[in-house]
Amino acid sequence: MAHTNEPSFKEETTHVTQRQATATHVKTNDNSITSFFDEEPTHHTSKKGNVSLSDDEEDNDRIQIKPVNDEDDVSVIITFNQGISPFILILTFVASISGFMFGYDTGYISSALISINKDLGRTLTYGDKEIITAATSLGALISSIFAGTAADIFGRKPCLMFSNVLFVIGAILQITAHRFWQMNAGRLIMGFGVGIGSLISPLFISEIAPKMIRGRLTVINSLWLTGGQLIAYGCGAGLNHVHNGWRILVGLSLIPTVLQFSFFLFLPDTPRYYVMKGDYENAKAVLRRSYINAPEDIIDRKVEELTELNHSIPGKNKAVQVWNTVKELHTNPANFRALIIACGLQAIQQFTGWNSLMYFSGTIFETVGFSNSSAVSIIVSGTNFVFTLVAFFAIDKIGRRAILLIGLPGMTMALTICAIAFHFIGIQFVGNDAVVSNSGFTAWGIVIIVFIIVFAAFYALGIGTVPWQQSELFPTNVRGVGTSYATATNWAGSLVIASTFLTMLQNITPTGTFAFFAGLSFVSFIFCYFCYPELSGLELEEVQSILKDGFNIKASKELAKKRKQQVARIIDDDQLKFEPTQEIVES
Ligand SMILES: O[C@H]1[C@H](O)[C@@H](O)[C@H](O)[C@@H](O)[C@H]1O
């Protein structure tokens, strides 16, 4: 049962002046260790006893969180409140090339379909075009089911590199296709790559990111994604009238994938994956390069801590382990709540209609005499990109929950206005063609254009971006499988919506369809209001404590606020800016 109002965390703030905070590790009970650092956190001693506290209320720089009814062991969360290192940036940019390929490969097809003509040995029917478009989503759906488990078994990096191989095979099959089915085989194989990349890239980034900017770094993947869609539409418009232009369009997708593969030859996997595999030396090496200047013993202890928190799933062979992981995902209440949130958000992202709207916008814009559908796609996907950039700045500052709760009502409003405008514009569907009774430059047509752009903006700000933060919801041992469920939900939703949208327009009219999406957006707002806690600024491991005995919205907001204040204070004081600090989660 969800408890949204009562915080189930008893939060006790301990007070330590900066001067008193002098690199002392204190064991508070059998299980918990605390430590404080001053400007030179180099000498550490350990003793048993209670934490020594100052009563200076203003100077609290540590927080104890005490989950109620916690049966688990104590966990000590070591946090590096450092600026971002070039190494983390490089890893983020290389991983998010997968985001670009997701966007480019799903984006170029609508332009390619315009210029393929008879190049595949026959005139493509509407149904043929639907099959070619859906093949990639189907491939992504299939591979995303297995990608999470594969990432746990083989590693995040090898899986991304394998997706590069699939991208190359898929692209070559398409470039050389002279038959319909070869084209589809290429699109399907490319889809396998898209599914793997769409799951593992955000997972990789969230595992290497410092907590205060984890949201932002993960949004870089979404920026590349929406940027990839925009570039695909741009290139598509440019190559529309070039002979075999669509083959060039597909060929261009080889560049990023070959680049990502080559970069990864020289880059490591995530520390959390190395810890999972018991490869502590590599885990330390990555942390050292990620957190320049971090004292060696803190690196050691971070690895110890990750090891402690990585309760590995038992099982005599891989199959039993995977089965036990699935069981753990469903039977552990925190994991199950995480699953509800992750799958819920991905379903909302797809079922509120964005992707179908991207296709349909061409027809809608035609109603006001705007006949260039490529230009239309560029405007709509450009808005998507620009507001993903806004999300980039807002996601850690304002918080994930806040931007979702702004975005969804905005979408509801924009879709409702579109539904009303459609009623007055008079569109009918005959077969697969839209027949507009009031064509030309009408006021209602303009209203529709404006509010579709408004819809795109609110969508990109919140639900277009936040679901891809899914990895932060799950602990390491079930992260792969949990994110697989969520990513598969995304691709299943995308398939269902793409294949039912036209039927909906025909059977329940555009007004009915948009009103339906508006209703879903409103229901989604209620879901997020009651079930989505604020996770910005929390360590990946802290999220578990939040979800342990409810969705804990209130407690999560308070904790996120405290974390932000702590970091602001540290940066203001300019004392611990480049030093590790440590916080305690205690049972
Ligand atoms: O987050 C992305 C983004 O919003 C894209 O524009 C959309 O096409 C994808 O389906 C979605 O997963």
Side-chain angles (χ1 to χ4, degrees):
M1 236 356 242
H3 309 287
T4 48
N5 292 328
E6 254 175 83
S8 55
F9 285 86
K10 203 162 59 180
E11 216 172 283
E12 297 166 3
T13 308
T14 59
H15 309 294
V16 184
T17 63
Q18 294 291 354
R19 233 165 299 104
Q20 279 171 310
T22 50
T24 306
H25 292 179
V26 183
K27 226 167 173 7
T28 50
N29 58 35
D30 285 349
N31 295 314
S32 74
I33 304 165
T34 87
S35 81
F36 312 102
F37 299 100
D38 64 2
E39 299 92 309
E40 287 174 77
T42 42
H43 313 291
H44 306 279
T45 57
S46 288
K47 66 176 186 178
K48 201 165 167 107
N50 284 324
V51 180
S52 65
L53 304 174
S54 134
D55 37 24
D56 182 354
E57 291 274 331
E58 300 303 311
D59 255 343
N60 53 325
D61 63 356
R62 253 187 359 91
I63 291 178
Q64 283 192 334
I65 309 154
K66 197 168 183 180
V68 174
N69 305 326
D70 180 10
E71 338 75 51
D72 277 10
D73 281 346
V74 166
S75 59
V76 180
I77 308 293
I78 300 177
T79 302
F80 299 95
N81 286 320
Q82 280 193 345
I84 180 162
S85 67
F87 185 64
I88 291 182
L89 268 186
I90 291 171
L91 285 175
T92 303
F93 276 97
V94 173
S96 53
I97 294 178
S98 294
F100 180 86
M101 284 166 336
F102 171 177
Y104 187 86
D105 293 341
T106 51
Y108 75 68
I109 195 62
S110 54
S111 316
L113 287 176
I114 298 171
S115 60
I116 282 179
N117 297 321
K118 290 185 181 167
D119 292 356
L120 297 177
R122 69 199 215 199
T123 307
L124 296 183
T125 62
Y126 187 82
D128 289 343
K129 290 185 180 182
E130 261 185 353
I131 293 174
I132 294 178
T133 309
T136 299
S137 302
L138 181 65
L141 169 59
I142 295 169
S143 67
S144 61
I145 295 171
F146 305 103
T149 308
D152 287 347
I153 297 175
F154 304 110
R156 282 80 170 114
K157 176 179 105 155
C159 285
L160 285 177
M161 292 173 84
F162 179 62
S163 79
N164 295 136
V165 176
L166 294 170
F167 280 119
V168 171
I169 298 174
I172 291 175
L173 277 173
Q174 291 173 65
I175 296 166
T176 56
H178 292 280
R179 290 281 166 266
F180 178 67
W181 291 110
Q182 180 173 338
M183 182 72 185
N184 281 310
R187 291 282 298 164
L188 186 77
I189 293 174
M190 187 174 255
F192 292 152
V194 171
I196 296 172
S198 66
L199 187 155
I200 297 181
S201 167
L203 183 150
F204 187 100
I205 297 170
S206 75
E207 287 193 341
I208 53 156
K211 62 173 187 174
M212 292 315 292
I213 50 163
R214 185 177 63 240
R216 273 193 186 185
L217 292 190
T218 313
V219 177
I220 288 183
N221 186 61
S222 297
L223 268 174
W224 282 71
L225 195 177
T226 52
Q229 285 177 332
L230 184 58
I231 289 175
Y233 288 128
C235 293
L239 292 166
N240 248 351
H241 302 293
V242 176
H243 177 60
N244 274 329
W246 68 271
R247 293 188 202 272
I248 303 175
L249 204 54
V250 182
L252 289 176
S253 74
L254 287 169
I255 301 172
T257 204
V258 169
L259 278 177
Q260 189 184 45
F261 187 91
S262 316
F263 287 138
F264 263 134
L265 289 175
F266 305 98
L267 292 170
D269 216 310
T270 73
R272 282 175 172 88
Y273 172 72
Y274 286 131
V275 166
M276 243 177 119
K277 292 286 125 181
D279 184 352
Y280 305 117
E281 279 321 302
N282 265 323
K284 285 178 196 169
V286 180
L287 284 172
R288 252 178 242 125
R289 290 171 77 187
S290 303
Y291 300 100
I292 311 157
N293 298 336
E296 194 57 28
D297 67 324
I298 294 302
I299 298 279
D300 289 349
R301 294 197 45 219
K302 181 73 195 174
V303 169
E304 271 167 35
E305 172 195 302
L306 289 174
T307 312
E308 244 172 67
L309 295 174
N310 172 40
H311 310 291
S312 54
I313 308 264
K316 56 181 185 311
N317 58 42
K318 277 285 162 238
V320 179
Q321 264 176 10
V322 171
W323 175 240
N324 287 340
T325 309
V326 172
K327 275 208 303 212
E328 171 76 11
L329 191 59
H330 289 84
T331 52
N332 176 317
N335 293 343
F336 193 62
R337 280 187 198 96
L339 195 62
I340 294 173
I341 296 172
C343 293
L345 291 190
Q346 290 289 11
I348 293 170
Q349 185 192 77
Q350 294 304 319
F351 284 106
T352 43
W354 161 252
N355 282 320
S356 47
L357 213 148
M358 287 235 287
Y359 293 120
F360 186 57
S361 53
T363 316
I364 296 166
F365 279 58
E366 274 172 22
T367 63
V368 284
F370 216 138
S371 59
N372 186 340
S373 66
S374 301
V376 172
S377 302
I378 290 172
I379 294 172
V380 177
S381 63
T383 310
N384 190 20
F385 175 72
V386 169
F387 278 84
T388 307
L389 195 62
V390 177
F392 171 81
F393 290 109
I395 198 155
D396 288 322
K397 272 221 164 101
I398 305 180
R400 297 123 171 81
R401 179 178 155 83
I403 58 176
L404 268 184
L405 296 185
I406 294 170
L408 286 166
M411 286 162 63
T412 311
M413 177 269 298
L415 288 166
T416 307
I417 294 176
C418 286
I420 295 170
F422 271 117
H423 176 71
F424 291 104
I425 212 165
I427 289 190
Q428 277 189 344
F429 278 83
V430 182
N432 285 324
D433 293 322
V435 179
V436 183
S437 46
N438 292 327
S439 58
F441 209 68
T442 69
W444 287 116
I446 295 170
V447 169
I448 290 173
I449 290 176
V450 170
F451 281 92
I452 280 181
I453 292 172
V454 171
F455 170 75
F458 279 114
Y459 166 85
L461 174 70
I463 198 70
T465 309
V466 176
W468 292 115
Q469 306 279 328
Q470 57 192 12
S471 317
E472 70 188 8
L473 289 159
F474 300 99
T476 322
N477 56 4
V478 294
R479 189 169 294 144
V481 179
T483 50
S484 263
Y485 271 62
T487 311
T489 306
N490 177 291
W491 289 108
S494 154
L495 259 184
V496 170
I497 280 295
S499 48
T500 54
F501 184 61
L502 263 180
T503 319
M504 278 175 77
L505 291 176
Q506 285 162 14
N507 293 334
I508 61 167
T509 74
T511 297
T513 308
F514 277 74
F516 176 71
F517 286 144
L520 280 183
S521 301
F522 181 70
V523 173
S524 305
F525 171 76
I526 306 217
F527 170 82
C528 293
Y529 185 83
F530 287 108
C531 299
Y532 187 64
E534 184 52 82
L535 305 176
S536 46
L538 308 194
E539 280 289 350
L540 287 180
E541 289 71 18
E542 276 176 321
V543 175
Q544 298 322 299
S545 339
I546 284 284
L547 292 173
K548 210 156 235 167
D549 60 353
F551 289 103
N552 286 313
I553 308 293
K554 199 169 166 200
S556 74
K557 280 167 36 185
E558 283 167 8
L559 185 57
K561 197 166 150 200
K562 285 233 158 73
R563 292 288 179 266
K564 276 179 205 156
Q565 285 168 350
Q566 275 183 310
V567 169
R569 203 169 36 242
I570 286 162
I571 291 172
D572 276 354
D573 291 352
D574 205 27
Q575 289 191 16
L576 300 180
K577 196 170 176 183
F578 297 108
E579 306 298 349
T581 62
Q582 183 167 304
E583 296 141 9
I584 301 171
V585 176
E586 187 180 328
S587 64

